[in-house]
Amino acid sequence: MTLARSFTSIPNTLSSRLPVPRLLGLTTLLHQQPQMRGMKVRASVKKLCDGCMSVRRKGRVYIICSKNQKHKQRQG
């Protein structure tokens, strides 16, 4: 009786000929991290409520909001 191992290869890389063991359960470990909410990137930014203020940092225009964190925007 022979033991069968499950190996996958990574296509289009230098190590494509080397077997890479398949890690089962890796996706469940990655999905357990808390999701961070980013900011919207737009060509033109606008203040959406009274708590929004525009800030210019490092040559970019940002909108930050103290009332609703979903209103964060970056121009560019």
Side-chain angles (χ1 to χ4, degrees), residues 3-32:
L3 296 174
R5 294 183 192 172
S6 75
F7 288 100
T8 61
S9 62
I10 302 171
N12 299 328
T13 62
L14 295 175
S15 64
S16 63
R17 294 187 181 119
L18 298 175
V20 177
R22 187 180 306 169
L23 297 175
L24 300 176
L26 180 64
T27 56
T28 58
L29 291 176
L30 294 176
H31 291 302
Q32 290 176 356

Side-chain angles (χ1 to χ4, degrees), residues 39-41 45-47 52-65 71-76:
M39 61 174 56
K40 300 178 182 86
V41 179
V45 293
K46 303 174 193 174
K47 295 180 182 178
C52 295
M53 16 182 252
S54 63
V55 179
R56 187 174 179 96
R57 295 179 186 157
K58 299 180 183 177
R60 293 185 175 167
V61 178
Y62 292 91
I63 302 291
I64 56 175
C65 185
H71 291 175
K72 288 191 295 190
Q73 304 168 50
R74 175 176 68 90
Q75 187 173 12

